[in-house]
Amino acid sequence: MGITRRTLLTGAAAVPLAASAPTASGVGTRTMSNVKDLIEELVEKYAGDGVAPIVSLGDQVLRQTAEPFDGQVDDAVLAEFVALMRRTMTKAPGVGVAAPQIGVPVQIAVLEDQFPVPPEIVEARHRYPLEFFAAINPVYRAASGKRRGFYEGCLSMPGYTGVVNRYFSVHATYLDPAGRKHRKTFDGWQARIVQHETDHLSGIVYVDKLETRSLCTSANYSANWADPVPTRAAKALRFKLD
């Protein structure tokens, strides 16, 4: 999800392995066992300050369950790959990018939200700064049944946004690049980013979960529905808002 700056750039738990995945360019396919080659190729091609191209919706890699990371590359290459993902996310700009979004079907995501937002947005959306971190093999579960609906978008589907009713609070478990295990609870907008990016690793894109009547172009959103809470949009467009 990845996630877009204006609304959100953000994806769930691990499920069985899929058969194959395409390259970032969409030309040809690579078997899941070639994750090592894909990572090394991207790291070499976009070394320094390079950024990787974002895969668009409709590419097969976004619809497969990513392969768990279990040491396919060494620590040095992993660090370079995470740095590449972060540069790509920042350049987009977004608040999250999952490895499938740059053509690699492996369970790695990077997340960060340091963009300045108006105080009324902070309060209404519980959008507090999220410091950068890389999540390897992440999973999440709802901390409660409470849900909130807000517009979000995705770097893999630019130009559109829609309301997704997501869990307000989630418990997440993931590894960092050093192999340390983390268990953390995320609330509000941070929880939304975690859900969006982790979903990507299971082949789930935000459009699979959105309230379909809320879907609109980014231009229409900016012109008509850019309220702190989409109550007015829900009434006018007649969609469910938790």
Side-chain angles (χ1 to χ4, degrees):
M1 75 178 156
I3 291 180
T4 59
R5 174 177 177 176
R6 180 185 301 279
T7 51
L8 172 84
L9 253 183
T10 96
V15 288
L17 216 59
S20 63
T23 62
S25 66
V27 179
T29 59
R30 303 293 183 90
T31 63
M32 298 290 276
S33 61
N34 280 341
V35 162
K36 176 179 184 294
D37 294 338
L38 287 169
I39 291 175
E40 290 177 344
E41 288 172 13
L42 284 176
V43 164
E44 180 178 1
K45 185 173 183 178
Y46 301 106
D49 59 357
V51 297
I54 301 290
V55 170
S56 297
L57 189 64
D59 197 307
Q60 186 181 358
V61 72
L62 295 177
R63 290 311 197 173
Q64 296 177 325
T65 299
E67 179 178 329
F69 181 80
D70 61 1
Q72 289 92 332
V73 295
D74 63 29
D75 291 350
V77 174
L78 176 61
E80 291 184 63
F81 184 61
V82 168
L84 170 60
M85 291 180 68
R86 186 179 189 180
R87 293 194 303 272
T88 302
M89 172 184 66
T90 301
K91 179 71 173 180
V95 297
V97 162
Q101 291 185 280
I102 59 171
V104 183
V106 67
Q107 293 188 19
I108 302 175
V110 295
L111 307 87
E112 182 178 25
D113 186 7
Q114 302 285 352
F115 294 117
V117 295
E120 63 272 19
I121 297 293
V122 172
E123 182 177 353
R125 301 180 186 175
H126 292 82
R127 186 171 179 174
Y128 301 105
L130 177 64
E131 293 186 3
F132 174 81
F133 71 99
I136 297 174
N137 302 334
V139 295
Y140 71 80
R141 61 183 176 85
S144 74
K146 181 180 179 182
R147 287 152 60 95
R148 296 292 302 276
F150 290 105
Y151 278 96
E152 61 183 77
C154 183
L155 292 179
S156 292
M157 188 181 171
Y160 290 89
T161 182
V163 170
V164 181
N165 289 300
R166 292 193 185 272
Y167 294 116
F168 177 80
S169 181
V170 296
H171 299 308
T173 303
Y174 60 92
L175 301 176
D176 65 24
R180 295 181 292 258
K181 190 172 186 177
H182 297 260
R183 293 184 177 88
K184 187 173 180 180
T185 298
F186 296 90
D187 300 318
W189 207 257
Q190 295 182 2
R192 182 169 296 269
I193 298 171
V194 168
Q195 290 171 82
H196 182 118
E197 294 306 330
T198 307
D199 281 353
H200 268 302
L201 305 179
S202 290
I204 299 169
V205 183
Y206 89 104
V207 293
D208 301 334
K209 294 185 171 183
L210 62 73
E211 297 297 321
T212 55
R213 296 186 67 94
S214 73
L215 184 63
C216 64
T217 64
S218 298
N220 269 330
Y221 169 80
S222 297
N224 300 303
W225 311 119
D227 301 331
V229 178
T231 306
R232 189 170 55 88
K235 182 177 180 180
L237 302 177
R238 294 182 294 152
F239 61 82
K240 179 183 177 183
L241 188 63
D242 286 351

